[in-house]
Amino acid sequence: APKSVSTVQINQKEFVADDYTNVTPKIISYLGRNLHLQKDNPLSIVRQRIVNYFYKSFTLRGNPAFSVYDNLSPIVTTKQNFDDLLIPLDHPSRAKSDCYYVNKDVLFRAHMTAHQSELLRSGLDNFLMIGDVYRRDEIDSTHFPVFHQVDAVRTQRKEELFADHPDLEIFEPAFDPENPHKFTNTITDPSKQSCHTLEATKLMEAQLKNHLIGLVHALFGKDVKHRWVEAYFPFTHPSWELEIFYENNWMEVLGCGIVRNEILVSAGPNNSIAYAFGLGLERLAMALYKIPDIRLMWSTDSGFLTQFQEKDIDAKITYKPVSSYPQCKNDISFWLPPTLSIDTFMSNDFYDLVRDIGGDIVEQVKLKDKFVHPKTKKHSLCYSIMYRHLERTLTQAEVNEVHKAIEKAAVEAFNVVIR
Ligand code: PHE
């Protein structure tokens, strides 16, 4: 008899499953929704505004300097998502608990930066990459396993960067772009990569920050308060995050930095310096239009979409809740099997199960209590699940039924005992 291999089917294509496979049918069902391209979706409006800003601000002989890629397949290799970006093998972002893997070599991209190397390799110098990204995460009003990012790369050759200062250089004398592997690039100096001059790094940093503040001003107006925070990404150095002050909190909206020279060297343009950034569309759209719940982005309800049906995409729109339906809270507590402890149980596995069974009526899941029985030493966890439908009132009976189904699925998946 033929040996049976289990497979995962995605867009008419079959992939061999292995012990990395953790993508669920629910997650697969989000493929192709392309909210960032749907007319009247707030994410699409923000996308257009960002693209317009880059088209208008950067032109080359009358043509936009940036090219836009908003239709790249979200199914990528671990090489694209991690290796090409110098993300170490033991980096936490590769964990099964954080990503949706098709198998050990293929995953749903966790960031748009996954396409940076291939686009550089194809010869592009200024480009935007826009699309849906997938991450396993907690469940609340600002998190959803699928969200949307705009990533960008801008590269500059010496003649462009130092047009007014032909005496200045991008690279330190010890680095020879023609023999890049003779030099070990380091990031021990917080202010720059060892191959770059301080002048080139500082000028790129100034451009990067000016361009991004220009974007924030174009989106939110000149009054918005912002701050830069030092950050770390394996693929940029130095790196920063930009936060804006929104509803009494500092909200992180993007990560950015100077692209690690190793990436440019292996992808082609070895005589250039580049900046890169990646920003989240959901955060910006929620803040711009005062959208209170991230699940609303997925609404196909006309009461939602018609509010964004504007002829002028720069019009000031404030979302008015169609109406707000009551919440319904139910706790779930269970004893873990002896093979698991309160410290090894993977919350994200539980969240995915809740998403699969409960679907979009789950508003929030919170770990409420961890408990070790003093006598039996048995471990138990309690999560509280908040249910709310965005478009109608849920009945208690309906919620109970879903809740029961979640309990049953948890028993089967994790071998737990409901308390
Ligand atoms: N990919 C990063 C993220 O998803 C953002 C980023 C992009 C940071 C490009 C630096 C440069 O968080």
Side-chain angles (χ1 to χ4, degrees):
K3 212 172 120 200
S4 82
V5 279
S6 82
T7 60
V8 192
Q9 177 128 7
I10 296 164
N11 291 343
Q12 278 86 258
K13 221 183 132 175
E14 285 211 338
F15 294 85
V16 176
D18 61 21
D19 59 354
Y20 260 76
T21 307
N22 64 0
V23 64
T24 64
K26 181 91 192 157
I27 294 298
I28 296 173
S29 78
Y30 294 123
L31 284 174
R33 283 287 299 275
N34 290 331
L35 297 186
H36 62 291
L37 301 176
Q38 299 312 309
K39 196 175 160 303
D40 300 337
N41 190 290
L43 299 175
S44 175
I45 299 175
V46 180
R47 168 191 58 80
Q48 286 179 61
R49 294 182 66 185
I50 294 172
V51 170
N52 285 352
Y53 170 79
F54 279 95
Y55 276 172
K56 269 199 295 227
S57 309
F58 310 98
T59 51
L60 242 176
R61 286 173 236 104
N63 293 313
F66 279 84
S67 38
V68 176
Y69 291 81
D70 56 16
N71 204 10
L72 300 161
S73 169
I75 315 295
V76 299
T77 59
T78 47
K79 179 175 181 300
Q80 290 173 291
N81 200 87
F82 304 116
D83 305 350
D84 284 351
L85 295 167
L86 313 177
I87 299 177
L89 281 172
D90 59 357
H91 196 270
S93 66
R94 293 191 185 237
K96 256 177 81 172
S97 60
D98 287 50
C99 300
Y100 289 105
Y101 281 95
V102 175
N103 58 38
K104 69 176 195 338
D105 303 317
V106 179
L107 73 159
F108 282 49
R109 65 186 167 210
H111 55 179
M112 287 308 292
T113 322
H115 300 286
Q116 184 181 99
S117 279
E118 65 189 85
L119 293 180
L120 282 169
R121 205 166 290 130
S122 73
L124 295 165
D125 46 9
N126 298 296
F127 52 93
L128 301 175
M129 304 158 267
I130 311 175
D132 39 335
V133 301
Y134 298 75
R135 287 189 207 169
R136 303 182 70 196
D137 217 328
E138 55 212 271
I139 303 182
D140 64 31
S141 64
T142 63
H143 290 89
F144 200 79
V146 193
F147 58 102
H148 298 76
Q149 286 185 323
V150 175
D151 247 60
V153 173
R154 174 169 169 83
T155 59
Q156 300 260 272
R157 284 174 292 112
K158 172 185 151 83
E159 305 80 74
E160 300 162 305
L161 186 65
F162 291 131
D164 305 329
H165 290 278
D167 51 316
L168 296 179
E169 297 289 338
I170 287 180
F171 296 105
E172 291 287 350
F175 177 80
D176 173 9
E178 298 311 316
N179 285 302
H181 300 293
K182 291 225 171 92
F183 183 90
T184 310
N185 193 23
T186 65
I187 55 168
T188 41
D189 177 350
S191 65
K192 66 180 198 69
Q193 301 174 38
S194 63
C195 67
H196 290 142
T197 62
L198 191 58
E199 293 81 13
T201 308
K202 287 290 174 198
L203 189 50
M204 284 301 282
E205 172 182 347
Q207 286 193 7
L208 170 60
K209 290 184 172 176
N210 283 336
H211 296 166
L212 287 170
I213 293 307
L215 173 65
V216 167
H217 284 168
L219 293 174
F220 288 90
K222 293 248 179 329
D223 292 336
V224 65
K225 273 200 275 179
H226 75 266
R227 69 178 184 194
W228 291 101
V229 182
E230 305 264 318
Y232 171 79
F233 300 102
F235 33 94
T236 50
H237 184 79
S239 308
W240 303 273
E241 278 167 359
L242 175 61
E243 299 185 342
I244 62 176
F245 199 65
Y246 172 69
E247 291 198 333
N248 284 315
N249 281 310
W250 286 104
M251 173 174 78
E252 183 207 317
V253 292
L254 65 86
C256 64
I258 309 299
V259 176
R260 288 273 295 268
N261 195 53
E262 297 90 316
I263 297 175
L264 296 179
V265 164
S266 68
N270 51 1
N271 54 1
S272 300
I273 185 168
Y275 75 53
F277 67 81
L279 59 81
L281 282 178
E282 272 78 355
R283 292 255 178 111
L284 292 179
M286 289 175 80
L288 269 173
Y289 306 126
K290 306 220 176 340
I291 299 170
D293 191 308
I294 196 166
R295 291 175 297 160
L296 283 162
M297 303 296 175
W298 297 84
S299 173
T300 51
D301 189 273
S302 64
F304 178 74
L305 291 173
T306 52
Q307 296 197 27
F308 300 94
Q309 226 173 48
E310 274 287 339
K311 277 143 223 85
D312 170 14
I313 60 165
D314 293 319
K316 191 170 155 56
I317 301 170
T318 301
Y319 171 70
K320 290 165 225 56
V322 183
S323 51
S324 186
Y325 298 92
Q327 285 179 321
C328 210
K329 196 176 97 173
N330 263 10
D331 288 351
I332 173 168
S333 327
F334 44 76
W335 295 109
L336 295 174
T339 49
L340 285 172
S341 79
I342 50 175
D343 301 311
T344 58
F345 183 74
M346 287 290 167
S347 279
N348 279 353
D349 291 339
F350 179 67
Y351 298 151
D352 271 322
L353 178 143
V354 173
R355 283 206 170 93
D356 270 1
I357 312 287
D360 296 345
I361 68 165
V362 179
E363 180 168 274
Q364 189 176 40
V365 181
K366 267 206 296 221
L367 180 60
K368 195 172 161 184
D369 193 32
K370 295 180 178 188
F371 171 71
V372 180
H373 193 282
K375 292 231 176 64
T376 64
K377 300 281 183 264
K378 285 213 272 187
H379 289 208
S380 127
L381 292 172
C382 176
Y383 290 91
S384 72
I385 306 180
M386 199 72 84
Y387 297 90
R388 191 202 316 250
H389 201 293
L390 289 169
E391 277 128 15
R392 62 186 176 81
T393 298
L394 291 171
T395 66
Q396 187 65 52
E398 194 176 357
V399 169
N400 289 347
E401 200 171 306
V402 173
H403 198 76
K404 277 257 158 354
I406 290 174
E407 289 183 340
K408 184 161 172 277
V411 168
E412 280 163 18
F414 311 122
N415 209 11
V416 298
V417 176
I418 302 293
R419 293 182 63 176

